Amino acid sequence: MHTGPLGTLERFKGVGNCPAGYAARLRETRELFVHLCFCLLFGVVGVKNRITMTYLTVPIAAKDIESAKEQIKAAQKGGAEMIELRVDYLDQLNASMVRELISETRNIFGRKKLPIIVTCRSVRHGGEIAYPDQLRVNVLVGALQVGAEFIDLEYESFLSTENKEKIIRALSQSSKGRLILSAHNFNGKFDDMRKLHRRIMTVYPAAIPKLVYKANHINDCFEAFDLLHSTSGERIIFCMGQAGLVSRIIAKKLGAMVTFASLDEKTATAPGQLTIDRLKKLYRFGDINSETELYGVIAFPAAHSLSPAIHNACFGKARLNKLYLPLLVEGGKAEFGLFMNNILNRGWLNFRGFSVTIPHKQNALNFVGKNQGFVEPLAKKIGAVNTILCSRAGTLKAYNTDYAGALDAITSKLCITRNDFKDMPIAVIGAGGVSRALVAGLSDAGADLKIYNRTVEKARKLASEFGCSYAPLEDLENIEANLVINCTSIGMHPDIDATPLPKELLKKDMAVFDTVYNPSKTLLLQQAKQKRAKTVDGVSMFVNQACEQFKLFTGTEADVKLMSRVLKENL
Ligand code: NAP
């Protein structure tokens, strides 16, 4: 939906009698008219130094010139495409320090002449040191005089006639200098971001608008995506905070002029800023373009998910124009539904598939069912899905690759087929989500299952649903099984010295599968090996379920070795 200037004109049709409201609308109409005239003018004659790519920009935030130089060298090594000199971090700032820093940056980058933004942020907008307005403006004017490509000033500060006149004069004397007019909201969304965007473009139409706000939920990001989608030319629009992280990555797909990345976590200048290394290596920033298809893991929390690392590595290896994102969807059914509808209403975002994990596996099943999508029959029985496919036309398909991944891990490690599960006595420890997927898959394959759980009532419920037996954890001392599967979190990092089954109960003719994958060699598996029992680790289950997802996402086989390697490297 296009809600740009034309959308605003539509609203004017209902102008009321209220004089104050009328005056405000009249002012808006005037602004809009001026804005359109300037757009036309600049569209025809063009402006200096127009940019079309998305620059991976590293902010340099240091207290003194020497430390700034170190940071600039690190940014050059890291592959920065633009430098932002955040001179509000410099102690005892003056215009000559900024000139020196610009010249040092030029020296460090040598022949590779990369553009420089000079920013002297006010504290109200996230600046580090409270320098007076006059000094901040003088510093920016000085930066233009020595050839900085961009200066960034808050739109709010530019409204002062004195500041405006000084900046415009300096811009007119600079052959290439451009002005970024920025607005920030560190608490949440802007009241009316489109209006703010229009105002910025009206007050100085040659400006590059920068609108940045904190996303308190991933659903807050869609307003920023919409503004990027419905505007063109140079603009910088993204969201801060963990919930806004995706907006920094897909800024390139949506054609923003800049995305900011820090050298490391310590030097980040805004909440949610990624490091240049993660952006380039993990999210393959260099390969993103407007055609890139999007995938992601819907989770809460999402930051520590290993899925982006393994899927992006495989997309990269197969040279697929696909990108896999961590999608932090906080909340329950309502927030999940809103997120999915936000995606489905914006086909241009090109989302094609999702992994789904805690706490949304059931929400995903319900959402796809309600939207007349296809749900794999066993996933219905399990009551959870972990994979959603989304077609270009917006139709949905849902699967559960957890059970298939687990069964494949067991059959391949034990050199058996799924038919061999028939009547096999299997002990499943745990009665949570993973246990449920395994119990459904194994009972479907005809196994003779007994579920052991700390909370016996949960074991009883699960057992009655799938026609198996159950017992409390204490009964494990009488365990009789060819295969034991740990589906609890016992033994998982950081409690790596714990095991759900004491060593004396393990036997040589027993195969042991631990679904815990961090660490990959749990105490349970180490002790089973000491007893010469066959073992299957959680890494192989994780890799197998991810391979199944990859096949669903791409129609091709994943590189299993690469997935295992990346997973182990990231654990
Ligand atoms: P879940 O739904 O929360 O279930 C956790 C299970 O662990 C419940 O049965 C719970 O018993 C039991 N449990 C937890 N702490 C315990 C303790 N101290 N003593 C005894 N029992 C305890 O979690 P889930 O989604 O099923 O995940 C379980 C584990 O599977 C995870 O920790 C993870 O390591 C592993 N996993 C592996 C993969 C893979 O691909 N390899 C994927 C996902 C998960 P109660 O019912 O009594 O609370």
Side-chain angles (χ1 to χ4, degrees):
M1 190 178 67
H2 193 289
T3 50
L6 289 180
T8 315
L9 274 180
E10 286 297 304
R11 282 192 281 123
F12 293 147
K13 285 180 184 164
V15 173
N17 298 330
C18 160
Y22 182 75
R25 286 188 185 101
L26 201 62
R27 200 167 50 243
E28 253 192 62
T29 316
R30 226 183 296 128
E31 276 172 10
L32 183 63
F33 179 71
V34 176
H35 174 61
L36 289 175
C37 289
F38 272 101
C39 285
L40 277 174
L41 179 68
F42 280 93
V44 174
V45 299
V47 290
K48 56 189 174 185
N49 203 18
R50 276 240 176 263
I51 276 178
T52 48
M53 73 180 273
T54 302
Y55 282 82
L56 184 49
T57 303
V58 174
I60 304 299
K63 280 186 168 305
D64 53 67
I65 301 272
E66 279 314 305
S67 330
K69 269 162 62 181
E70 290 311 310
Q71 289 187 16
I72 296 164
K73 282 179 195 160
Q76 189 234 11
K77 258 196 184 157
E81 296 165 341
M82 191 184 262
I83 289 288
E84 183 193 34
L85 299 174
R86 280 291 305 267
V87 298
D88 50 289
Y89 277 75
L90 286 173
D91 278 336
Q92 292 166 358
L93 174 70
N94 59 53
S96 72
M97 283 168 91
V98 176
R99 282 197 286 268
E100 187 184 341
L101 212 45
I102 292 173
S103 137
E104 290 292 352
T105 309
R106 298 254 183 266
N107 288 342
I108 290 166
F109 277 86
R111 265 188 290 163
K112 191 186 166 199
K113 284 203 173 97
L114 91 171
I116 298 173
I117 305 177
V118 176
T119 304
C120 191
R121 189 65 74 230
S122 71
V123 169
R124 202 176 116 76
H125 285 264
E128 180 68 4
I129 301 175
Y131 287 117
D133 248 24
Q134 213 182 4
L135 173 62
R136 296 195 307 115
V137 170
N138 288 346
V139 156
L140 298 184
V141 167
L144 285 173
Q145 286 165 350
V146 292
E149 283 77 6
F150 301 96
I151 55 165
D152 178 333
L153 182 67
E154 306 79 44
Y155 159 70
E156 204 174 87
S157 307
F158 187 73
L159 291 179
S160 126
T161 313
E162 193 188 338
N163 292 347
K164 194 183 203 165
E165 279 174 359
K166 272 191 191 169
I167 294 282
I168 290 182
R169 196 177 317 120
L171 283 166
S172 69
Q173 288 162 0
S174 154
S175 59
K176 56 180 177 181
R178 302 278 312 278
L179 174 65
I180 297 169
L181 280 182
S182 55
H184 306 85
N185 188 343
F186 288 91
N187 299 318
K189 295 200 280 183
F190 293 109
D191 288 342
D192 187 340
M193 186 160 66
R194 284 185 178 277
K195 192 156 143 190
L196 181 58
H197 174 258
R198 219 168 36 242
R199 289 216 155 136
I200 292 174
M201 297 314 289
T202 303
V203 82
Y204 191 67
I208 296 157
K210 178 181 176 192
L211 292 105
V212 181
Y213 62 91
K214 181 172 179 218
N216 290 311
H217 191 280
I218 196 165
N219 284 322
D220 291 347
C221 294
F222 290 93
E223 212 172 305
F225 298 159
D226 288 346
L227 187 56
L228 276 169
H229 181 62
S230 62
T231 52
S232 56
E234 295 129 314
R235 65 262 191 255
I236 305 169
I237 299 164
F238 62 89
C239 299
M240 293 180 286
Q242 280 308 311
L245 185 129
V246 283
S247 72
R248 294 179 181 270
I249 308 169
I250 66 168
K252 187 169 180 192
K253 175 181 167 64
L254 300 177
M257 186 185 97
V258 158
T259 196
F260 295 92
S262 61
L263 291 170
D264 49 44
E265 259 103 55
K266 279 197 310 261
T267 55
T269 52
Q273 209 170 70
L274 283 152
T275 63
I276 187 163
D277 199 53
R278 277 180 88 74
L279 206 47
K280 286 183 82 135
K281 293 189 182 145
L282 174 57
Y283 298 111
R284 299 167 51 228
F285 190 77
D287 294 337
I288 301 173
N289 58 40
S290 61
E291 301 299 314
T292 302
E293 290 183 339
L294 300 181
Y295 295 79
V297 54
I298 300 177
F300 183 79
H304 300 295
S305 171
L306 299 165
S307 298
I310 58 177
H311 282 291
N312 282 327
C314 287
F315 286 160
K317 175 93 189 292
R319 295 178 178 278
L320 294 168
N321 191 5
K322 294 177 190 287
L323 168 68
Y324 191 99
L325 302 160
L327 302 165
L328 180 74
V329 180
E330 188 176 358
K333 188 178 163 198
E335 290 78 7
F336 177 88
L338 184 57
F339 174 75
M340 287 303 294
N341 283 323
N342 273 326
I343 298 283
L344 293 175
N345 290 336
R346 293 167 178 81
W348 43 266
L349 277 172
N350 247 342
F351 266 99
R352 289 286 163 268
F354 304 93
S355 308
V356 185
T357 186
I358 293 169
H360 292 300
K361 289 186 181 184
Q362 283 181 354
N363 297 331
L365 172 78
N366 296 337
F367 184 87
V368 174
K370 266 199 178 150
N371 284 273
Q372 285 81 46
F374 163 82
V375 181
E376 180 194 20
L378 199 54
K380 263 188 205 162
K381 209 166 170 199
I382 295 168
V385 300
N386 76 335
T387 313
I388 298 177
L389 299 186
C390 183
S391 77
R392 218 168 260 282
T395 53
L396 301 172
K397 288 181 180 172
Y399 303 85
N400 190 313
T401 68
D402 280 337
Y403 84 85
L407 265 52
D408 289 348
I410 302 168
T411 52
S412 66
K413 281 279 163 81
L414 303 185
C415 300
I416 58 172
T417 68
R418 285 197 188 184
N419 289 335
D420 295 318
F421 287 126
K422 183 136 184 52
D423 299 325
M424 183 190 283
I426 299 177
V428 176
I429 310 174
V434 167
S435 167
R436 198 179 164 78
L438 268 145
V439 166
L442 288 168
S443 71
D444 196 52
D448 175 13
L449 297 166
K450 186 161 186 173
I451 303 165
Y452 297 83
N453 197 44
R454 179 178 60 182
T455 310
V456 185
E457 179 51 21
K458 272 167 76 180
R460 190 197 63 75
K461 242 177 124 190
L462 186 60
S464 73
E465 237 182 284
F466 291 93
C468 12
S469 52
Y470 69 96
L473 282 184
E474 298 72 49
D475 279 17
L476 279 169
E477 60 188 42
N478 305 315
I479 189 169
E480 292 283 343
N482 289 7
L483 172 63
V484 181
I485 306 175
N486 175 36
C487 293
T488 73
S489 46
I490 302 172
M492 190 170 86
H493 182 84
D495 294 322
I496 55 169
D497 293 330
T499 175
L501 196 62
K503 189 176 176 184
E504 58 274 17
L505 298 177
L506 293 162
K507 293 171 200 147
K508 187 180 170 215
D509 57 358
M510 205 182 236
V512 180
F513 172 26
D514 199 339
T515 64
V516 170
Y517 58 86
N518 186 15
S520 59
K521 292 187 180 94
T522 57
L523 183 60
L524 172 66
L525 293 186
Q526 289 175 40
Q527 293 182 335
K529 273 222 166 112
Q530 287 162 11
K531 291 274 179 122
R532 293 167 188 254
K534 286 186 176 160
T535 59
V536 183
D537 63 27
V539 169
S540 50
M541 171 183 166
F542 192 92
V543 167
N544 275 304
Q545 65 80 25
C547 284
E548 294 283 336
Q549 284 187 331
F550 188 88
K551 218 189 295 178
L552 288 167
F553 291 158
T554 65
T556 59
E557 298 289 338
D559 183 332
V560 187
K561 277 190 185 152
L562 177 65
M563 273 208 184
S564 307
R565 201 192 73 219
V566 174
L567 185 64
K568 282 180 183 156
E569 277 168 10
N570 280 274
L571 278 174

